[in-house]
Amino acid sequence: MNALFMILSAILVFIMVPGIAIFYSGFVPKRDVTRILFDSFLMFGIAGLLWIIIGFSASFEGNNFGLIGNFHHLFLSGVDLSSNYGNTGLPTAVYLLFQMMFAILTPALFLGAVASRTRIRFVIWFVILWSLLIYYPLAHIVWSPNGFLMQLGVLDFAGGTVIHIDAGLTALILAVMLRKPYQYNHEEVTGNSLWILLGTILLWVGWYGFNAGSALKLNFQAVNAFFTTTIAACSGLVTWMILEEKFKSQVSLTGICTGSICGLVGITPGTGYVTIFGAFLIGIISTIGSFYFMNYLKYQWHLNDYLDIFGCHGVSGIIGSICVGLFATNSVNKDVVNNGFFYGGGIKLLSVQLFGVLFTSLFVGIMGVVVVFGLKKLFKNNIGIEKTLELV
């Protein structure tokens, strides 16, 4: 049953990739729709194959200084796919497949930041280098039993740091380094509402595999993650609607869809560690933070992240990861050694979570800038808009 549950969860995470492509396509100009869809689906080939070639080994096999695994199993050579992986109780093949979906989804989350503003060859090389230098080390650091942050006690149930802060900051780096600062006139988003709603539905459904599947077995933590995921999304949706009514005097479909996504992002790191009421509050807090960033700070800073990838995934991911230090409780999950601040645990877990957020932000920020700067030097003036979908 556990293996079957995890295969179903992997399929649900798979659905999130076309879900994010459809969601983004509802916001962008018509000329960028095909490129958004192309880049997202391309990740199954680029990130998927790279995971099999070296990614799984680098992330979850062996250990070097708590920062990276090993490179001994190219193309999974020497890996016994039928034996159980670690203490998961799952066949290695099932665990590998589930983690592979995360490695494919994460670059699909941030590529919308540049849409058709970069050539396809730049996207391919960026995803390869980003995976090798950022994603695989971070997955090892946070999720491997020997990882640096895992050993420190940082809790990230389903990817607040590894996926959402990572993707959000990467999108911000791409937007800042590859797009000119934008002069906003407080214009409203006009797009395809049906695509936005359909993308939101696919993401929400896929998120159950994303969060509940991270329990790695069909147990109470998986069921709790299912509930907390739902509650946070609902509270984020309603919170965004209230904020739009108060500060914009109107509510919108794109707004409530965005609010639900912010709630889903915010609950991801703590979904298996917090109560239903904790999830309700996390959904509200995350959405307020993202709303403020998207509707005020982004304009003040002239950021050209026009899909608000950092505003949604980065900001809500940061808030959600910190909130684990406030709301986590061992009454939900015995892996919580120190309860969160509001459950009598003091500031110990909160301090650890803050450090985890700071480390992740600095690591992704520094390495992301280095990768983009290096590729800009390599390609020089050959990064601009791709006129066709051909590799020229």
Side-chain angles (χ1 to χ4, degrees):
M1 284 299 297
N2 288 336
L4 180 61
F5 169 68
M6 291 306 300
I7 291 173
L8 175 61
S9 296
I11 293 171
L12 289 174
V13 180
F14 177 100
I15 291 173
M16 295 179 73
V17 179
I20 198 68
I22 294 170
F23 180 75
Y24 286 164
S25 295
F27 288 99
V28 300
K30 187 176 180 180
R31 67 177 183 273
D32 289 342
V33 170
T34 300
R35 183 57 188 275
I36 289 282
L37 298 173
F38 179 90
D39 284 354
S40 299
F41 199 69
L42 179 65
M43 292 307 100
F44 284 109
I46 303 302
L49 284 177
L50 195 61
W51 181 254
I52 298 299
I53 294 170
I54 194 62
F56 179 74
S57 178
S59 300
F60 295 108
E61 291 285 321
N63 178 57
N64 288 286
F65 311 107
L67 300 175
I68 192 68
N70 62 45
F71 301 92
H72 300 161
H73 303 289
L74 294 179
F75 285 98
L76 303 179
S77 62
V79 176
D80 185 356
L81 297 177
S82 62
S83 65
N84 285 352
Y85 178 78
N87 297 321
T88 65
L90 295 170
T92 299
V94 174
Y95 183 74
L96 183 153
L97 177 65
F98 181 66
Q99 288 292 343
M100 178 180 174
M101 295 302 112
F102 283 70
I104 292 170
L105 171 66
T106 309
L109 290 176
F110 63 68
L111 286 177
V114 287
S116 60
R117 297 295 173 179
T118 57
R119 293 184 183 274
I120 296 170
R121 69 177 71 181
F122 178 89
V123 168
I124 292 173
W125 278 108
F126 180 81
V127 170
I128 291 173
L129 293 176
W130 172 88
S131 297
L132 292 171
L133 300 177
I134 298 177
Y135 185 81
Y136 301 157
L138 200 57
H140 183 84
I141 289 168
V142 176
W143 284 336
S144 172
N146 297 313
F148 163 57
L149 290 183
M150 172 69 83
Q151 289 289 314
L152 194 64
V154 171
L155 298 178
D156 186 356
F157 193 82
T161 53
V162 180
I163 295 173
H164 294 297
I165 297 178
D166 184 0
L169 282 171
T170 301
L172 183 63
I173 291 166
L174 289 170
V176 169
M177 296 187 70
L178 300 180
R179 300 177 71 95
K180 295 180 179 178
Y182 192 76
Q183 299 299 320
Y184 293 96
N185 296 311
H186 297 281
E187 68 277 11
E188 294 296 323
V189 173
T190 57
N192 190 317
S193 297
L194 179 60
W195 281 52
I196 294 171
L197 178 60
L198 178 59
T200 302
I201 293 170
L202 289 174
L203 285 171
W204 192 328
V205 171
W207 228 289
Y208 290 124
F210 194 95
N211 283 359
S214 292
L216 301 182
K217 60 184 66 175
L218 191 56
N219 58 9
F220 173 74
Q221 276 71 49
V223 176
N224 186 77
F226 192 99
F227 271 103
T228 54
T229 298
T230 304
I231 296 300
C234 293
S235 64
L237 185 156
V238 174
T239 299
W240 195 286
M241 181 178 66
I242 294 172
L243 292 171
E244 278 196 328
E245 175 64 29
K246 180 174 178 59
F247 294 103
K248 293 187 174 182
S249 300
Q250 61 179 1
V251 296
S252 65
L253 175 64
T254 57
I256 62 173
C257 286
T258 301
S260 66
I261 299 298
C262 290
L264 290 165
V265 172
I267 194 57
T268 293
T271 185
Y273 301 126
V274 303
T275 63
I276 298 297
F277 185 66
F280 170 74
L281 294 178
I282 290 172
I284 293 173
I285 297 168
S286 300
T287 303
I288 291 174
S290 286
F291 183 91
Y292 176 73
F293 184 90
M294 293 182 200
N295 291 276
Y296 179 73
L297 289 181
K298 183 180 77 169
Y299 296 103
Q300 293 294 109
W301 297 347
H302 300 281
L303 296 177
N304 206 348
D305 180 12
Y306 70 132
L307 284 174
D308 289 313
I309 300 171
F310 178 76
C312 180
H313 295 274
V315 174
S316 285
I318 289 170
I319 292 172
S321 296
I322 294 172
C323 281
V324 174
L326 300 175
F327 298 105
T329 169
N330 56 24
S331 65
V332 172
N333 193 323
K334 298 303 180 183
D335 290 338
V336 179
V337 178
N338 298 292
N339 280 352
F341 180 80
F342 293 133
Y343 287 84
I347 65 170
K348 185 170 183 178
L349 180 59
L350 179 60
S351 300
V352 170
Q353 292 299 118
L354 284 168
F355 178 81
V357 168
L358 179 61
F359 177 87
T360 301
S361 300
L362 289 174
F363 178 74
V364 175
I366 294 171
M367 295 304 297
V369 169
V370 169
V371 171
V372 175
F373 182 79
L375 288 178
K376 285 179 70 175
K377 287 290 186 181
L378 177 65
F379 291 111
K380 294 183 179 179
N381 296 323
N382 199 23
I383 298 178
I385 300 175
E386 188 96 69
K387 293 183 179 181
T388 71
L389 284 178
E390 296 177 354
L391 281 173
V392 295

